[in-house]
Amino acid sequence: MSFPTKRLARVVSLVLALSLCVSNRHWVGPQVFTGSCAHTSQRSSGPRSRTAVTAAAESCLAQLASMTTLSIDTGDLTVIKEYAETGLITDATTNPLFVSQAGLSGDPVYVALLEDAIAYARKSSTKEDDFVELAMDKLAVNLGVAISKLVSGYISTEVDPRLSFNKEETLRRARRIIALYEEAGIPRSRVLIKLAATWEGIAAMKELESEGITCNMTLVFGFAQAVAAAQYGARLISPFPGRILDFHKKLSGKDIWEPEKDPGVVAVRRMYSYYKRYGYDTICMPASWRPSRGAGHDLDEIEAARATGNR
């Protein structure tokens, strides 16, 4: 194939960004340790960032880590390294936007990951459509492999969310992602495949789990999704309490909620309690937090939900 490398790099990165926009229109920045963080660019802010990380490790973050497993939600390798060195996180998760940001950042580290993905796809595909899909998956895996060297636990990598209602294509891409990881020397036991918790996604997850491919069911907004995911054998779900709160704010016109009555917190507690009551091993890992009482109360949802012993 003879497509210009720079053009292909931009196409791959933009398609990744577009794929996220299909299912995620309200992204608010990377999240660290299941809590909200200020916006960060793909590049670290340097010494000031390290000072903030050290301070966090000595305060509430360490307390939270003593109660639960913490996962960092970003594609910034420098940020991941800084937090991993505190010893407080073991897992990391990415999504298509983080991968796209890496591809478009211009940082030599990420450019190398992107160029490797393009070279791999050029060698392994014969059609332009197949080329872009393969390059997208390979770039996501390249980033995941780099992250796997920084954390000791799970790395979550998401299947193209545009396939959320297509079981067979979801299965094909998920299996390919795992194959790419194993080709790079990363065992499937380290990888969580992120799938949208649609009916098709849950059905695909059931097959993947039976093959030893563990799944992170994301975009969980309701109790029925959480129950179905557990009943069909998901390793982990990612409910979005902040998005649930957003919906109820719009529905009710009410902007301020007491943390204990925050609809997102109430939903997560119900999911977690159901798992414990009926003996499911599925992990409940909330993401996309919001301050129940607005600006200045950034930990509201976390503090209200942690009373359940949630992890």
Side-chain angles (χ1 to χ4, degrees):
M1 302 181 71
S2 59
F3 307 113
T5 298
K6 288 186 177 180
R7 173 176 171 268
L8 286 172
R10 187 163 184 83
V11 167
V12 170
S13 297
L14 290 176
V15 169
L16 278 163
L18 176 61
S19 72
L20 184 71
C21 291
V22 171
S23 62
N24 185 355
R25 298 181 182 179
H26 305 288
W27 181 79
V28 293
Q31 298 191 354
V32 181
F33 310 124
T34 66
S36 297
C37 291
H39 280 275
T40 59
S41 66
Q42 195 66 31
R43 299 179 182 180
S44 172
S45 56
R48 183 178 299 179
S49 173
R50 288 192 291 274
T51 300
V53 170
T54 301
E58 294 172 352
S59 60
C60 295
L61 186 61
Q63 295 178 36
L64 192 60
S66 71
M67 305 175 196
T68 188
T69 300
L70 301 176
S71 178
I72 186 165
D73 192 8
T74 180
D76 188 321
L77 296 173
T78 301
V79 170
I80 294 172
K81 182 175 185 292
E82 289 172 352
Y83 277 97
E85 287 175 350
T86 68
L88 300 178
I89 71 163
T90 58
D91 299 10
T93 182
T94 64
N95 64 40
L97 180 59
F98 296 154
V99 179
S100 174
Q101 286 178 323
L104 293 170
S105 70
D107 186 304
V109 172
Y110 303 107
V111 169
L113 299 180
L114 179 58
E115 289 180 346
D116 177 79
I118 290 171
Y120 183 95
R122 180 178 281 126
K123 179 179 67 175
S124 306
S125 58
T126 57
K127 297 179 181 179
E128 185 168 4
D129 288 347
D130 294 340
F131 172 91
V132 172
E133 286 183 1
L134 179 56
M136 288 167 59
D137 289 346
K138 179 60 174 171
L139 176 58
V141 169
N142 283 353
L143 182 60
V145 170
I147 292 172
S148 75
K149 298 174 183 177
L150 304 176
V151 300
S152 59
Y154 286 125
I155 313 105
S156 288
T157 297
E158 188 166 354
V159 170
D160 189 336
R162 294 174 299 175
L163 303 176
S164 296
F165 297 96
N166 187 328
K167 175 189 169 184
E168 296 306 320
E169 277 300 295
T170 292
L171 286 169
R172 182 179 70 84
R173 296 283 289 275
R175 288 166 178 150
R176 183 165 71 186
I177 287 170
I178 288 296
L180 290 170
Y181 268 112
E182 291 180 333
E183 187 178 285
I186 306 299
R188 63 181 60 191
S189 60
R190 291 280 319 271
V191 181
L192 287 171
I193 293 293
K194 285 178 74 173
L195 305 174
T198 58
W199 178 247
E200 292 83 359
I202 291 170
M205 172 271 293
K206 181 182 179 182
E207 289 195 28
L208 293 170
E209 290 279 356
S210 72
E211 298 169 12
I213 299 173
T214 49
C215 297
N216 171 355
M217 302 309 293
T218 190
L219 299 172
V220 174
F221 305 107
F223 183 67
Q225 289 175 287
V227 171
Q231 290 181 347
Y232 278 81
R235 175 60 178 151
L236 183 149
I237 67 165
S238 295
F240 286 5
R243 304 295 177 79
I244 297 170
L245 176 62
D246 290 345
F247 172 80
H248 283 273
K249 282 183 175 181
K250 185 173 183 179
L251 186 68
S252 67
K254 179 180 176 181
D255 288 330
I256 305 298
W257 298 74
E258 285 303 312
E260 296 289 333
K261 297 180 180 179
D262 180 322
V265 171
V266 172
V268 169
R269 281 183 167 175
R270 186 184 181 198
M271 296 171 194
Y272 180 80
S273 297
Y274 177 87
Y275 288 176
K276 292 304 176 185
R277 180 175 181 179
Y278 293 103
Y280 289 105
D281 293 329
T282 301
I283 296 169
C284 183
M285 186 184 75
S288 188
W289 300 96
R290 301 281 192 275
S292 307
R293 293 173 290 177
H297 301 276
D298 293 339
L299 298 181
D300 273 356
E301 287 190 326
I302 298 174
E303 291 176 349
R306 73 178 178 181
T308 63
N310 206 359
R311 70 184 288 271

